Amino acid sequence: MAGLMAAFGNFTHAVVRGVPTSLAKEALRTDNLDVDILKAKREHELYVEVLKQKLGLEVIELPADESMPDCVFVEDAAVVCGDTALITRPGAESRRKETEDMKRVLSGLNLNIVEMTDESATLDGGDVLFTGREFFVGLSKRTNQRGAEILADAFKDYAVSTVPVTDGLHLKSFCSMAGPGLIAIGSSEHAQKALKIMQQMSDHRYDKLTVPDDIAANCVYMNLPSKGHVLMHCTPEEFPESVKVYEKLKDHMLIPVSNMEKCKVDGALTCCSVLINKKTNV
Ligand code: GLY
């Protein structure tokens, strides 16, 4: 397990997908907010540029598909850990087709593909928090117990615990990993309650980084050989108070990335990429 932890956050590849124009009107959303589609596209281009240019990942870019308004949120279509990729069965029927291209791309990377074919199972990658030691799976409007069981079967090296998601779209709508053993968590009552459940269910003592805004707790952590600890997080324009918390992380290379428009359709930073460490499968 120590060896596995050493590789936590170490990624070589990312799969992303373009923003379809249909996202503006047709993407699923909790609140009825209008999206500026040009801004959303620009925002996403900058996100991809960070992965590619700044962090040097090999980025595989799927083209946007207008018939799939939520397709930019690739994280929901697959969970990749080590050399295994679980192709999910997304909770929203309108999103199920997104998994086909994801399966093709991940097969091309020679990952071991496990498909969630059970029609009683649903799981969105946004509900899956991998800590490097174990998985927490949010039971939400999108993910059910059977989905969590199939994930546990796919990743047998790790413990899998479920956490009720009582508010917000996904588990990672209010938390994510900000470093090895460090959980970023929102301040709302339901976020704090979920954290308490995760702490109770784990043998490990996680550190926590509490930010005032729930969605700002969704950040992208990497540990890259050439850069060390890297954190993509919200911008001061979006969440000034939460950024002040991130700025206390002195060992991390901090990269603010705007996500204002995609956020209006419940898309957080982790939603926009599937990160892979290809070195683990050679
Ligand atoms: N708009 C992201 C989702 O609802 O799945």
Side-chain angles (χ1 to χ4, degrees):
M1 187 63 79
L4 292 173
M5 268 311 281
F8 182 64
N10 191 344
F11 300 111
T12 55
H13 289 62
V15 179
V16 298
R17 189 159 203 169
V19 177
T21 302
S22 57
L23 174 139
K25 296 261 177 302
E26 294 164 48
L28 302 171
R29 67 203 77 190
T30 315
D31 299 315
N32 199 15
L33 298 172
D34 286 336
V35 175
D36 179 332
I37 194 65
L38 292 180
K39 246 172 111 181
K41 288 185 183 193
R42 183 67 195 133
E43 199 169 68
H44 191 60
E45 279 165 17
L46 292 173
Y47 177 97
V48 175
E49 247 175 70
V50 168
L51 297 177
K52 246 199 275 194
Q53 314 294 353
K54 210 172 183 109
L55 301 179
L57 297 188
E58 195 160 314
V59 178
I60 299 146
E61 293 183 72
L62 285 163
D65 185 323
E66 292 300 332
S67 72
M68 296 185 249
D70 285 292
C71 68
V72 65
F73 304 123
V74 287
E75 172 184 60
D76 292 319
V79 177
V80 179
C81 184
D83 57 6
T84 299
L86 173 67
I87 306 300
T88 65
R89 189 166 182 276
E93 213 174 328
S94 66
R95 300 199 57 192
R96 300 251 162 94
K97 213 156 65 84
E98 293 172 30
T99 57
E100 291 170 13
D101 291 315
M102 185 56 72
K103 182 182 158 195
R104 184 175 46 75
V105 168
L106 297 179
S107 304
L109 288 172
N110 292 323
L111 297 171
N112 300 323
I113 304 290
V114 180
E115 283 186 80
M116 194 173 273
T117 49
D118 184 333
E119 289 189 4
S120 68
T122 61
L123 184 126
D124 282 11
D127 277 315
V128 179
L129 180 70
F130 178 61
T131 70
R133 294 177 174 268
E134 61 195 309
F135 284 95
F136 293 108
V137 177
L139 298 181
S140 68
K141 292 180 201 88
R142 298 286 178 83
T143 296
N144 64 17
Q145 182 66 35
R146 186 70 192 122
E149 284 165 11
I150 293 172
L151 181 135
D153 270 356
F155 300 106
K156 288 202 171 70
D157 284 347
Y158 297 99
V160 176
S161 307
T162 55
V163 189
V165 174
T166 52
D167 206 342
L169 180 62
H170 290 132
L171 177 63
K172 284 190 291 192
S173 301
F174 52 79
C175 69
S176 64
M177 295 310 290
L182 179 64
I183 299 178
I185 186 80
S187 296
S188 70
E189 201 178 315
H190 66 268
Q192 291 294 319
K193 203 167 157 193
L195 177 68
K196 201 172 248 176
I197 292 170
M198 291 192 274
Q199 285 169 330
Q200 281 165 356
M201 280 186 308
S202 180
D203 291 338
H204 183 67
R205 269 198 61 200
Y206 292 100
D207 293 319
K208 64 173 177 174
L209 186 76
T210 306
V211 295
D213 310 284
D214 273 10
I215 194 64
N218 183 289
C219 56
V220 180
Y221 169 75
M222 295 183 213
N223 185 359
L224 304 178
S226 59
K227 312 257 183 262
H229 300 289
V230 172
L231 201 64
M232 295 166 66
H233 61 79
C234 58
T235 62
E237 291 72 35
E238 295 163 293
F239 301 110
E241 296 307 313
S242 292
V243 169
K244 285 183 193 161
V245 177
Y246 284 119
E247 283 172 349
K248 292 189 183 135
L249 294 171
K250 295 299 175 206
D251 291 339
H252 288 55
M253 174 187 190
L254 297 174
I255 310 177
V257 181
S258 176
N259 197 48
M260 222 176 260
E261 295 305 310
K262 289 177 282 176
C263 205
K264 292 177 182 169
V265 288
D266 301 315
L269 287 172
T270 61
C271 301
C272 301
S273 54
V274 172
L275 299 173
I276 299 150
N277 184 0
K278 274 284 289 173
K279 283 195 207 109
T280 56
N281 19 302
V282 287

